[in-house]
Amino acid sequence: EADIYQTPRYLVIGTGKKITLECSQTMGHDKMYWYQQDPGMELHLIHYSYGVNSTEKGDLSSESTVSRIRTEHFPLTLESARPSHTSQYLCASSEATSSGNTIYFGEGSWLTVV
Amino acid sequence: KQEVTQIPAALSVPEGENLVLNCSFTDSAIYNLQWFRQDPGKGLTSLLLIQSSQREQTSGRLNASLDKSSGRSTLYIAASQPGDSATYLCAVRGGATNKLIFGTGTLLAVQP
């Protein structure tokens, strides 16, 4: 079983609050990702990292930010949450090879901004 | 820009039936294609990964095929069970940034 963990699983917060979604993996993977998925909709890549101190924005514009200070940790932060940020956020990791490696997902974090 | 489409969007079958889920992609320059399963309120579970040089992969009752030249993949589920009910997503990896592009998913319901 792949070891990638996300916390919190569910969170309801008020508008304007700062929130950090945690993601950790114990597999030593270099590549990590954050995806956003609204109910019934497709997944969209919002951030990715190919290693420590490497972060890039994904296909979907997001007001969130990420950091990668340690290989195993890839937190996502919203400085001032808004109702439009209500969504499921999925963290993932994979090994840094050219092909043939499965991507592993966390259980997801459901964020509701009221 | 790579686009991944899955048909049908939703499918309901009686238990025991064999079924096929379809995935198509517009750019055939891919490294691999993966099929995932997503249960409501949960993350994704990887089912099968097919490398660009392969034509199919099998795991238990699941068989995934890949025709890179035509931009198509299918996921065949044999003898479906109610526990197979979930959303099935395909995703392709490729392109300059090696990112994973997901399809819209097929919501499968297997009726007991």
Side-chain angles (χ1 to χ4, degrees), chain A:
Chain A
E1 190 74 20
D3 294 326
I4 180 164
Y5 307 100
Q6 288 185 239
T7 58
R9 288 292 320 281
Y10 303 93
L11 181 66
V12 180
I13 62 171
T15 298
K17 297 291 186 184
K18 178 179 178 179
I19 170 68
T20 295
L21 304 181
E22 302 288 348
C23 177
S24 296
Q25 50 95 5
T26 58
M27 297 169 283
H29 290 171
D30 289 323
K31 293 182 180 177
M32 295 189 74
Y33 314 82
W34 276 102
Y35 288 85
Q36 184 175 344
Q37 185 181 32
D38 294 326
M41 306 294 285
E42 55 195 280
L43 277 79
H44 291 285
L45 179 69
I46 52 174
H47 298 283
Y48 62 99
S49 167
Y50 283 172
V52 172
N53 294 325
S54 154
T55 62
E56 301 287 343
K57 288 191 177 295
D59 301 314
L60 182 68
S61 175
S62 174
E63 293 166 347
S64 58
T65 59
V66 292
S67 63
R68 191 84 183 278
I69 299 173
R70 302 198 313 267
T71 298
E72 62 271 20
H73 197 211
F74 191 39
L76 181 146
T77 298
L78 279 164
E79 290 293 334
S80 180
R82 297 207 301 269
S84 61
H85 297 139
T86 295
S87 189
Q88 183 186 34
Y89 294 84
L90 288 153
C91 180
S93 72
S94 67
E95 294 181 78
T97 61
S98 59
S99 65
N101 289 96
T102 301
I103 183 169
Y104 297 94
F105 280 84
E107 289 277 279
S109 292
W110 283 97
L111 175 65
T112 301
V113 184
V114 297

Side-chain angles (χ1 to χ4, degrees), chain B residues 22-26 28 30 33 35 50 55 65-74:
Chain B
N22 297 291
C23 172
S24 61
F25 46 95
T26 54
S28 61
I30 64 170
L33 182 145
W35 282 93
I50 311 178
R55 292 195 63 84
S65 69
L66 175 64
D67 184 342
K68 214 174 71 158
S69 60
S70 67
R72 292 173 191 253
S73 175
T74 61

